Amino acid sequence: MNNLTRWNPLNEIEDLMNRYNRIFGLTRPGEREGKDLFSRSDWAPAVDIKETGDAFLIEAELPGLSKDDVKVTVDDGVLAIQGERKQETESSDHKVHRIERFYGRFMRRFTLPDNVDENSVKATFKDGLLTLTLKKAEPKEPKAIEVQVE
């Protein structure tokens, strides 16, 4: 079975630190300027990856976003999902008591297996769920090359 993403323990540590800091309203040096050493995004949407006989399916939960808030790209065997969830501005007619949802930029990257046709990626967005369909490529037949011996 081919993996679609590589596990990086530093990302999990970074995510834990970001959550802790958000709870207490703290920021680390460089975090506001986007220059943090390990940080790639402000939050990461939950993703399910499934495989059928002829395709891989990636489903990303993006509640509160529209399809215009999301960008999907494939570049050199890496699929990227990125966008931004904007926080609503405070108004004089209501008072905020608690904010638990994550806001800001997000990005998820997945290394595609060799058997994916990069040109066949299709995306649909409905009810806050982004669904990507990545068709599997036809297996390449091994090709024998005759080499002339001199």
Side-chain angles (χ1 to χ4, degrees):
M1 181 174 175
N2 293 317
N3 292 333
L4 290 178
T5 186
R6 292 186 183 130
W7 178 67
N8 184 346
L10 289 178
N11 289 346
E12 291 191 19
I13 293 169
E14 185 70 16
D15 183 51
L16 182 63
M17 290 177 66
N18 285 340
R19 288 173 191 235
Y20 175 82
N21 288 335
R22 281 192 190 111
I23 289 170
F24 294 104
L26 304 173
T27 59
R28 288 171 297 158
E31 187 173 11
R32 289 183 185 236
E33 297 86 22
K35 297 179 182 175
D36 199 15
L37 182 61
F38 301 111
S39 183
R40 290 190 208 159
S41 59
D42 295 335
W43 64 284
V47 174
D48 291 338
I49 300 173
K50 304 171 185 177
E51 182 177 359
T52 66
D54 61 346
F56 291 97
L57 300 173
I58 299 176
E59 296 174 332
E61 288 183 346
L62 300 168
L65 274 70
S66 71
K67 68 178 186 174
D68 297 329
D69 298 324
V70 179
K71 180 180 178 184
V72 179
T73 58
V74 178
D75 184 26
D76 198 25
V78 176
L79 178 120
I81 304 169
Q82 57 189 326
E84 183 174 3
R85 181 185 306 160
K86 294 181 174 78
Q87 187 170 4
E88 65 181 56
T89 58
E90 287 192 41
S91 70
S92 60
D93 66 340
H94 69 273
K95 182 177 178 182
V96 176
H97 289 280
R98 181 184 299 231
I99 297 176
E100 292 185 350
R101 295 183 294 166
F102 291 107
Y103 295 92
R105 294 181 320 269
F106 67 87
M107 177 180 282
R108 295 291 307 262
R109 291 184 181 150
F110 304 94
T111 302
L112 299 176
D114 293 335
N115 65 336
V116 167
D117 178 6
E118 291 183 9
N119 298 316
S120 72
V121 178
K122 300 279 187 234
T124 58
F125 193 92
K126 183 178 180 187
D127 299 331
L129 185 67
L130 174 68
T131 303
L132 303 173
T133 304
L134 299 86
K135 296 277 186 195
K136 292 182 181 177
E138 293 295 323
K140 296 179 182 174
E141 294 293 324
K143 188 165 54 168
I145 300 173
E146 187 174 329
V147 177
Q148 298 294 328
V149 179
E150 297 179 14

